[in-house]
């Protein structure tokens, strides 16, 4: 399921091989069509004017107004995860273990992080917008995880180097990934024992 940026609509796909548009305000289905194949993923792209749908190794881009096909993205292997970024970019990953950034207007690959993981990529999250106005302190962050339990964070401006900014081994079999680029508003706290041996908690200025 994918919720429209307005919060009023949602797209769903399922085992019934159908695509449905749900009106979340009225609480009813407003559009329904048979796909003929089971889609595994559906995502509104950026402003919600377009959406993507994943069927095996194919990713199709559609107009949100009438579901008309705009362009189809061909992958070498099955796509298991996708996430939309700024400027009409779509990030995909799957059995090829790569992270690929697609231009949804042209249908061409913008760049690829080759061998991003040693196992299948199962989740992608875009953590910050790819905007030319962003400063050095706001890198273009994308997080990905694989079925062997590894989570990696990438700065896509250095994607050609193929080196993540950071990674963690969870020692778990991961199946999905979620995240947010909202920074914490909490200020770091310094805890120390005062002269009486009691815990003294202060806030760092």
């Amino acid at each position: 399921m994918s919720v429209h940026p307005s919060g009023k609509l949602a797209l769903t796909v399922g085992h019934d091989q159908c695509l449905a548009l749900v009106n979340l305000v009225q609480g009813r289905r407003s559009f329904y069509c048979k796909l003929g194949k089971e889609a595994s993923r559906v995502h509104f792209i950026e402003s919600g004017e377009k959406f993507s749908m994943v069927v095996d190794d194919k990713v199709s881009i559609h107009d949100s107004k009438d579901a008309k096909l705009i362009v189809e993205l061909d992958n070498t292997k099955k796509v298991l995860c996708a996430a939309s970024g700024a400027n009409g970019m779509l990030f995909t990953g799957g059995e090829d273990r790569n992270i690929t950034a697609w231009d949804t207007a042209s249908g061409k690959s913008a760049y690829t992080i080759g061998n991003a993981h040693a196992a299948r990529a199962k989740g992608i999250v875009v953590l910050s917008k790819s905007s030319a106005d962003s400063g050095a302190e706001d890198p273009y962050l994308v997080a990905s995880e694989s079925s062997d339990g590894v989570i990696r964070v990438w700065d896509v401006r250095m994607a050609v180097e193929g080196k993540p900014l950071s990674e963690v081994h969870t020692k778990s079999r991961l199946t999905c990934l979620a995240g947010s680029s909202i920074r914490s508003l909490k200020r770091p706290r310094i805890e120390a024992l005062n002269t009486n041996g009691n815990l003294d908690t202060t806030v760092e200025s």
Side-chain angles (χ1 to χ4, degrees):
M1 182 180 76
S2 178
V3 178
H4 190 272
S6 67
K8 298 179 180 180
L9 302 170
L11 285 170
T12 65
V13 292
H15 291 301
D16 58 358
Q17 299 184 356
C18 293
L19 169 70
L21 178 66
V22 180
N23 188 318
L24 299 177
V25 177
Q26 299 178 358
R28 64 181 180 84
R29 188 174 62 192
S30 56
F31 174 79
Y32 179 83
C33 71
K34 197 79 173 176
L35 299 173
K37 291 184 178 181
E38 181 183 339
S40 58
R41 299 285 186 274
V42 65
H43 296 275
F44 278 110
I45 297 175
E46 200 172 7
S47 63
E49 296 180 356
K50 297 184 290 186
F51 70 90
S52 65
M53 190 163 52
V54 177
V55 179
D56 295 328
D57 61 343
K58 304 289 185 182
V59 180
S60 53
I61 309 299
H62 301 260
D63 192 315
S64 296
K65 294 180 180 179
D66 53 11
K68 181 180 178 181
L69 178 65
I70 299 174
V71 69
E72 194 170 59
L73 316 177
D74 290 323
N75 295 267
T76 57
K77 293 186 178 181
K78 187 174 183 179
V79 175
L80 301 176
C81 53
S84 62
N87 305 318
M89 298 296 290
L90 182 71
F91 295 86
T92 63
E95 292 185 349
D96 61 1
R97 301 177 297 170
N98 300 332
I99 303 298
T100 303
W102 300 89
D103 183 344
T104 57
S106 65
K108 297 181 179 180
S109 170
Y111 55 85
T112 299
I113 304 176
N115 293 316
H117 289 275
R120 297 176 298 171
K122 297 297 292 292
I124 299 176
V125 174
V126 178
L127 295 173
S128 57
K129 294 182 178 180
S130 298
S131 171
D133 297 330
S134 297
E137 295 182 356
D138 184 22
Y140 312 150
L141 299 180
V142 172
S144 61
E145 56 96 353
S146 52
S147 56
D148 59 356
V150 176
I151 299 176
R152 289 176 173 166
V153 178
W154 310 85
D155 184 334
V156 298
R157 294 172 299 181
M158 301 184 293
V160 292
E161 299 178 10
K163 296 181 180 179
L165 288 177
S166 61
E167 68 175 50
V168 62
H169 295 256
T170 65
K171 299 180 181 180
S172 302
R173 187 178 183 276
L174 303 177
T175 58
C176 60
L177 184 68
S180 172
S181 58
I182 299 175
R183 292 187 175 93
S184 174
L185 298 180
K186 294 182 179 180
R187 300 169 67 184
R189 304 178 68 87
I190 299 176
E191 298 181 348
L193 291 175
N194 59 24
T195 54
N196 297 324
N198 298 319
L199 187 65
D200 182 18
T201 303
T202 59
V203 178
E204 184 181 23
S205 58

